[in-house]
Structures are given as structure tokens and as C-alpha cells.
Amino acid sequence: MKIHVFTILLTNLLFHQTLSESPEIQTGYEVTLAIPSEYTKGFLGRAFLIETEQTTPYFRAAISVESANNGKYYSCSLDVFLGDVRVWSSGHLSKFYTSEKCVVELTEYGDLRLKGQGERVGWRSGTSGQGVKRLILLRTGNLVLVDDFNSIKWQSFNFPTDIMLWGQRLSSQTRLTSFPKVNSTLFYSMEIQNNKIALYLNFGKWKYSYWEYQPHGHQNITFVQLTSNGLDLFNGRHKFDQIKSIGPGPGPGSGPVRFLALDNSTGNLRLYQYSEEKEKFEASYQAINFTCDLPLACDQPYGICTSSGSCSCIRGLGPDCNKENFEGLCGKSEGEMVELQGVVSVLKSVVFRGNVGKKECVRLCLDDCNCLAVEYVENNEDGLGIVLCIEWLGELRKLKREGIM
């Protein structure tokens, strides 16, 4: 058996040489990245392991070391790149922190894993004893483990991150998720449900939708698949709808859709093509086109997004929108509600109460220590309304102005 073992001492540069001339790795393969002894903020080291035989942009699999935000350790991950875009990562949902070294190996028993100091295993494919012989990077960007009969035992497509690649399928009740924000549990998700595709803002136990696509024909979604023209929706084997790529092509240098991405900073959903003329990826579709319809459009807390796309503060607060801390205020003795006319929330919550008047709507929010705002929608026929309580999310950044306040 031919065993490949590489050890690389990292500097704060990418290791650009691809260590394998073939788009596959056999059992017994091991690569070690020696991590610098002193912690360096902003450090990034990477060694590319295998690549596909395609024209630019092509896929590459890499082992990566990045400085963590805890000021002490480094994260170690196995990644797949399309050009310079990271389209899959083993550390998407749970990062592996280590020091001294970052090791990727495909063991003789067929288990693909990452190790750190003291041989501690931080991530694994869980395929030991299943006859795995090779790790292959397919032309679709799918990283797969196969046996002697080329039967797939593990594949990265089964563990979606924030990006969906051409040819990839997502079944109903699965989702894409953004990387959690630094020092926070807040993240975005795109979820495939039976009757719709929806975007959500997630924070702790709370979940708020801010965009949805309901397909034509009132058919249930069995799965979705990314194709050259957009995101196809299927009921069984029958394609019945499509979220279509609408630009920048067709035209010189325009190509097929390469991937769908959930933006980690804004929560927007986009389809991307590769422009050969500009040598970069360009969005050919985005779900949300108006800044104020994004879930966190305003950087400052308690901000109101205006029609111009700029943000103003709730009246009574200073210019930085941070005059007071409203967390934990309960009852009339501790606080009161201020009415903002012509202001709505872009977030839709499952927390609501129907058939109540405005005074009762206000009281319900005041009595709830987690409630910072309430949206009251009046029914013109009987004067009653629906309560939509926006629970405290650390900072209230989810309001937009409609009309004149």
C-alpha cells in the first residue's frame, strides 16, 4: 500500500501547491499543518489537497487553519472551494478548535477525520469499516467517499451548509444555514417546507420568517434541485415550478447558474453565475431587492429603516438609538408603550393573539418581560385586531417605515 504523509509548516500565507495530481485520495493518506506556537489574530493557513480537472473556476478541496475569536486557539476544517468561494466546510455547524497541529487523514479503515494536538479527533465521516477506499472530488463539487465498486458511503452534499451547488438536491424539511454571528446564536436559514420555501432569522428558541416563496399550482414540494436556469421545485418526479435566474445573462460570457447562497451578513438569498469576461461570480437573482425588507437592515438598535434605505431612531432616543436599555421591563409601573404610526416589522412571528383590542394588545406586551414591541393590525369590520409580539432579540432592528410616521 502506498501511503502519502505530508507535514507543512504554516506561515500566514496560503499553501498554493495542490498535493495530489489526481482528484482522488486513497486510504493511508495524511496531511499535517503545523500551527504557529504564538497566536496571531486574523491568521489564515490553507493547503489544497485535490482539485477537479475543469476550466476556471474549478473545485478544490483543502485543509484550513484560521484564528478563532477566543484569542487562544485555531479552527481546523476540511473545505471545498469553487474558485475562491468556500462552498462547503466541515466546520460549518460546529468548529473544531486546536493548537500545535491540524491533521486530515483517510485511515486504512476508511474513516475520514480531522485531528489536533494529542491525536484528539475533532471531526470524522463515521465510515470506518464500510469498505471505503478513496476520497474523490467530483466535478459537481461533491466530496465523496467510495468503496472498490464506486458505491458512495459518504458525501458532502448530504450535509448542506450556506451554499447549494449545481446538481445538488435538498429534500423537503431540510435547510441551508448561515454561519452563526460572532459571539451570538443568531443565524439565518433557508428552509424547504411542504408548501413553501422560506427565509428565517433564528435567535435562541425564537424563529422569525422574513421572506417566502409559495409555488404555483398548490402542490407539495418533495425536493428542490439547482439547475443551470435556477432552483427547480419537484413533486415526486414532476417538476412544477422554478425560481428562475434572471440576469446578468444571457449575453457574452454569461454561463449557467453555479450555486445558490444564503448571505451570512444580510440573510439574502441569491443565485450566482460566473462571468468569464469579468472573471468573477455575479448574482443572477436575489430574493430581497429593497434594503428595508432585510431582517437586520439597521446597524443600530431600535432603528427604523426608511424608504431611502437609511435608518432613523425611534423618537425619544438619542441619535445613536441607544439611550436606554429596555430589557426586562415588565408592567405599567416600569415602562409604557409608544405608538409609531406607519411602521411595520418585516419579521413574522408565530407568537400572536387574535380578537383583541388595541388596549389589550398593549397590555399583553407590557406584561411580557420579553416583549419589546407589538404590531397591531386592525380589522375594519369589528374594530378588533391581531397581536404580533416581537420578542427581545438583544437589539430591536426589524422595523421599517411605510408612509408617514
Side-chain angles (χ1 to χ4, degrees):
M1 176 181 296
K2 190 176 181 180
I3 297 177
H4 299 271
V5 178
F6 299 90
T7 300
I8 301 169
L9 179 63
L10 287 179
T11 62
N12 199 17
L13 296 171
L14 298 187
F15 187 82
H16 287 288
Q17 178 184 352
T18 302
L19 300 180
S20 174
E21 296 179 356
S22 168
E24 67 177 50
I25 287 173
Q26 297 182 352
T27 54
Y29 183 91
E30 179 180 302
V31 171
T32 299
L33 299 186
I35 298 174
S37 57
E38 293 186 5
Y39 178 84
T40 303
K41 185 177 180 181
F43 179 91
L44 171 62
R46 181 171 295 137
F48 292 102
L49 310 175
I50 50 178
E51 62 186 37
T52 56
E53 297 175 351
Q54 295 169 287
T55 57
T56 303
Y58 51 87
F59 291 99
R60 294 182 291 179
I63 180 173
S64 302
V65 171
E66 300 178 59
S67 57
N69 294 306
N70 54 22
K72 186 177 181 181
Y73 296 108
Y74 294 89
S75 66
C76 168
S77 62
L78 178 64
D79 304 317
V80 176
F81 289 84
L82 175 59
D84 294 328
V85 179
R86 180 162 55 183
V87 296
W88 183 84
S89 176
S90 64
H92 181 74
L93 295 178
S94 180
K95 292 186 180 296
F96 170 39
Y97 296 109
T98 185
S99 60
E100 297 181 7
K101 63 181 180 179
C102 171
V103 182
V104 60
E105 70 169 339
L106 180 57
T107 69
E108 295 182 11
Y109 300 101
D111 201 23
L112 181 64
R113 59 187 187 177
L114 296 173
K115 300 187 301 182
Q117 74 278 15
E119 298 299 298
R120 182 171 66 94
V121 177
W123 176 88
R124 69 194 326 154
S125 61
T127 50
S128 180
Q130 297 183 31
V132 168
K133 297 298 181 182
R134 293 172 295 154
L135 173 69
I136 301 176
L137 182 59
L138 301 180
R139 293 172 63 87
T140 58
N142 193 9
L143 193 64
V144 301
L145 290 169
V146 300
D147 60 14
D148 280 334
F149 303 99
N150 285 329
S151 297
I152 295 178
K153 300 299 182 179
W154 177 93
Q155 57 181 322
S156 59
F157 272 16
N158 284 346
F159 301 89
T161 56
D162 57 333
I163 285 181
M164 183 180 183
L165 291 171
W166 179 92
Q168 187 172 359
R169 291 186 179 188
L170 289 180
S171 300
S172 180
Q173 309 308 314
T174 59
R175 63 181 187 172
L176 300 180
T177 57
S178 67
F179 284 91
K181 292 184 177 293
V182 178
N183 299 322
S184 173
T185 60
L186 189 150
F187 67 94
Y188 304 109
S189 62
M190 182 202 82
E191 306 194 9
I192 314 301
Q193 301 175 355
N194 290 331
N195 62 340
K196 63 182 179 181
I197 299 173
L199 299 179
Y200 291 92
L201 175 68
N202 302 266
F203 185 84
K205 64 180 180 179
W206 306 112
K207 184 175 179 178
Y208 304 86
S209 67
Y210 56 92
W211 176 88
E212 63 182 40
Y213 180 85
Q214 294 186 331
H216 306 294
H218 305 288
Q219 299 187 53
N220 286 339
I221 302 172
T222 306
F223 68 90
V224 299
Q225 183 172 18
L226 193 63
T227 64
S228 298
N229 297 318
L231 186 66
D232 292 353
L233 283 61
F234 287 82
N235 180 281
R237 296 182 179 181
H238 171 62
K239 172 189 167 183
F240 68 96
D241 203 352
Q242 181 185 69
I243 297 178
K244 188 174 179 60
S245 172
I246 56 177
S254 298
V257 171
R258 300 301 300 269
F259 62 89
L260 176 150
L262 179 62
D263 192 287
N264 282 285
S265 59
T266 67
N268 210 343
L269 186 70
R270 297 186 179 96
L271 296 172
Y272 285 90
Q273 296 175 333
Y274 183 75
S275 171
E276 295 181 359
E277 180 182 357
K278 299 179 181 179
E279 297 183 340
K280 67 176 184 178
F281 291 103
E282 294 184 323
S284 58
Y285 166 88
Q286 65 178 12
I288 299 172
N289 294 299
F290 181 43
T291 300
C292 289
D293 288 330
L294 294 170
L296 301 180
C298 296
D299 290 331
Q300 66 266 47
Y302 314 112
I304 299 176
C305 190
T306 65
S307 58
S308 64
S310 61
C311 292
S312 62
C313 299
I314 295 176
R315 66 175 181 268
L317 300 181
D320 60 354
C321 300
N322 200 22
K323 182 178 179 181
E324 296 185 40
N325 181 11
F326 299 109
E327 178 185 356
L329 295 180
C330 305
K332 290 184 178 180
S333 62
E334 298 187 26
E336 63 180 82
M337 303 291 287
V338 175
E339 183 174 348
L340 304 174
Q341 295 183 355
V343 176
V344 298
S345 170
V346 300
L347 301 182
K348 300 178 179 64
S349 171
V350 296
V351 182
F352 70 94
R353 300 176 178 90
N355 296 327
V356 296
K358 184 184 294 185
K359 290 184 178 179
E360 178 67 6
C361 173
V362 170
R363 186 193 66 79
L364 289 169
C365 187
L366 281 173
D367 290 343
D368 185 347
C369 298
N370 291 318
C371 185
L372 280 185
V374 63
E375 184 176 359
Y376 179 79
V377 181
E378 185 172 302
N379 185 323
N380 293 328
E381 293 182 0
D382 52 22
L384 300 179
I386 298 175
V387 178
L388 180 61
C389 286
I390 305 172
E391 303 295 342
W392 178 63
L393 291 181
E395 295 176 345
L396 188 62
R397 298 179 176 177
K398 298 160 286 297
L399 301 177
K400 70 173 182 177
R401 180 182 297 179
E402 286 195 348
I404 301 175
M405 280 189 61

